[in-house]
Amino acid sequence: MSFHSPTELRLVLRQDVIVPAVGTFDRFTGHARYQVTGDEIRGTFIVVPETTPGGDTCLVRVIYGDHPQTPQRERVDEPRIRRTRVRGECGPLAVDALPDAFRLDARGQWVRSDGTLRSVPRSTARSLAEVVRAVVAHWATRPNRLGLVRAAARHAQQQPDTPSRAAREAVERELDSIRAQIRQHWSVLQELEAVAQADTPALPILPPLLHVDYLDPSSGITGILTAHPRLNPRDGTITYVTGGARVRGHFTVGPVRLSRDPLPGGVSVQLGAGPLPDGTGRENEPVVNGIRLRGSWNCTDAGSFTLALPESIPGVRRADHPDRPLPAHTAAWIGSVIRALAVAYRDRSDVDVLRLVAGKSRVDQLRQAPAQAVAELRRHEAAAEARLAAAREAEAAFASLSA
């Protein structure tokens, strides 16, 4: 930093307190250095114009100490007020509307002899505010004040990251993020619309009786489970009605119930038919070994299960005593039946038709969240576009100020 035109001056702190100083002014950076040389107040104060394109108020920051001696916070010739060394800076301050010293928040930290930092003592803070105000008041009367402001703007413009550029780039990144989110939600809406507009397929006609392979958990031998299938044309699920001595009741099988995919995949097995009005369970929940069972099993990966795997089926509990564990034999049998019906549904030749019916039944519900998200993001996009226009205008004004 090359300062020029050293000027001896006297700073008026109070009516009866005047301290000598030397002022030098850098025509390249616009910074002004005030070296105070009083008996009780000594040190350097740097006045840095804050460029505010388009604003009518002239602002400055006051830095305590000269350029840093190291990459640390310590600076050369930090002020000493009586025996207290001060570090930091204050501002921005409106040079044409300076408050009196009682109301000027000069801030700063006390650098103790061991290098630790503490709050500046009250009397020191008062003296610091007085000298800061005197320095800024003198700077405000400089005949080349506008030249210093322009020089500071040119200097800031030459830096890799100017405030105006950083502000504009931050808004651009925000806008890019918003638009990326809009594209994601819009893609989902388009996929849902494709499902909604797809031709409604002819529903399959189910036989009155179906024989389903299952794995007997006692012997490990493949057996035959007899069930009456009932197609639910609204959502593409099939309710299998069993009436054997060991297992009897209804099982509703279809794609994963809570899937957010436009075309739902996986397999879901619900114990029972439609939900009961009181919400406690479902109609005709199956009974295994005399125990009524409740719950469901959802598998998002339709290729991950077989008649034998997974060995345990979570999500199934007793309807009468949910807190009691299932007997091992009962758990083995219900698991075997659930896997068998899941495989039977998955391996149907018309399963894609059933998945499309399920997708169509969910379109209106699934549209709500992305449609609301797009509407909200459009509002954020409009606000960000307005901020970007203002940031670009400020950046252009900043560039013209530094010209």
Side-chain angles (χ1 to χ4, degrees):
M1 188 180 295
S2 56
F3 286 93
H4 307 276
S5 306
T7 303
E8 293 186 3
L9 50 94
R10 297 170 69 81
L11 299 174
V12 180
L13 305 191
R14 296 190 298 275
Q15 185 175 5
D16 56 343
V17 178
I18 299 175
V19 296
V22 175
T24 50
F25 307 90
D26 191 331
R27 68 175 183 268
F28 298 112
T29 66
H31 297 184
R33 176 201 286 152
Y34 288 83
Q35 293 175 291
V36 181
T37 57
D39 293 333
E40 294 190 344
I41 301 175
R42 305 180 63 86
T44 299
F45 296 82
I46 305 293
V47 178
V48 180
E50 292 280 311
T51 52
T52 55
D56 297 329
T57 304
C58 181
L59 305 174
V60 297
R61 283 185 302 119
V62 179
I63 301 172
Y64 311 147
D66 207 338
H67 61 280
Q69 188 171 23
T70 67
Q72 307 303 318
R73 296 180 59 193
E74 181 179 356
R75 301 180 71 91
V76 175
D77 196 25
E78 291 177 327
R80 294 181 181 271
I81 300 177
R82 288 173 286 278
R83 303 175 68 177
T84 302
R85 181 179 172 186
V86 178
R87 177 174 299 167
E89 63 178 62
C90 70
L93 301 172
V95 299
D96 297 318
L98 282 175
D100 57 38
F102 289 99
R103 292 181 297 153
L104 194 152
D105 182 13
R107 295 188 288 277
Q109 293 179 299
W110 169 25
V111 184
R112 301 178 63 180
S113 58
D114 60 0
T116 59
L117 302 176
R118 294 290 185 273
S119 298
V120 174
R122 182 178 299 178
S123 60
T124 303
R126 169 67 185 279
S127 298
L128 178 63
E130 289 177 345
V131 71
V132 166
R133 190 184 190 285
V135 164
V136 175
H138 179 272
W139 185 93
T141 63
R142 291 289 302 172
N144 64 338
R145 188 175 94 175
L146 180 58
L148 293 173
V149 171
R150 290 185 179 278
R154 283 194 299 271
H155 178 69
Q157 184 72 11
Q158 294 165 0
Q159 304 309 305
D161 297 311
T162 65
S164 58
R165 182 184 302 121
R168 186 255 302 162
E169 291 176 348
V171 180
E172 287 177 340
R173 288 192 297 272
E174 179 187 4
L175 196 54
D176 288 343
S177 174
I178 291 172
R179 288 172 174 167
Q181 294 176 65
I182 290 175
R183 287 193 295 272
Q184 290 176 346
H185 291 297
W186 193 251
S187 176
V188 173
L189 288 172
Q190 288 178 316
E191 292 177 5
L192 289 169
E193 185 61 23
V195 171
Q197 295 300 324
D199 293 336
T200 302
L203 296 177
I205 298 175
L206 302 183
L209 196 63
L210 196 65
H211 300 291
V212 179
D213 290 342
Y214 77 97
L215 201 63
D216 188 316
S218 302
S219 63
I221 300 174
T222 301
I224 300 296
L225 174 70
T226 302
H228 299 276
R230 298 175 182 173
L231 177 65
N232 304 310
R234 187 189 66 82
D235 59 9
T237 61
I238 296 177
T239 298
Y240 296 90
V241 181
T242 63
R246 189 182 297 276
V247 180
R248 66 180 185 277
H250 292 193
F251 297 81
T252 301
V253 187
V256 172
R257 283 193 318 128
L258 301 180
S259 172
R260 310 297 296 179
D261 297 330
L263 277 177
V267 176
S268 169
V269 180
Q270 307 292 313
L271 303 192
L276 293 172
D278 61 4
T280 57
R282 302 177 71 91
E283 297 174 345
N284 299 310
E285 291 171 328
V287 176
V288 179
N289 295 332
I291 300 175
R292 185 181 177 189
L293 302 179
R294 179 171 296 166
S296 63
W297 179 66
N298 290 276
C299 182
T300 57
D301 183 1
S304 65
F305 55 84
T306 66
L307 293 179
L309 297 173
E311 294 183 1
S312 63
I313 300 294
V316 178
R317 62 190 184 279
R318 298 175 63 123
D320 54 351
H321 298 290
D323 55 332
R324 292 186 184 178
L326 285 178
H329 198 50
T330 301
W333 269 101
I334 192 64
S336 181
V337 173
I338 286 175
R339 289 190 298 269
L341 295 176
V343 169
Y345 183 90
R346 178 196 65 190
D347 293 347
R348 291 184 61 88
S349 61
D350 53 14
V351 69
D352 289 340
V353 171
L354 300 179
R355 294 190 189 282
L356 178 57
V357 172
K360 281 181 170 292
S361 72
R362 305 176 187 185
V363 163
D364 289 341
Q365 177 187 359
L366 295 182
R367 276 179 178 148
Q368 295 179 11
Q372 292 173 357
V374 168
E376 181 66 20
L377 287 166
R378 289 295 188 197
R379 288 191 286 271
H380 291 313
E381 181 186 34
E385 286 174 339
R387 291 198 301 274
L388 179 58
R392 285 173 173 167
E393 183 178 348
E395 187 176 24
F398 185 89
S400 65
L401 181 64
S402 63

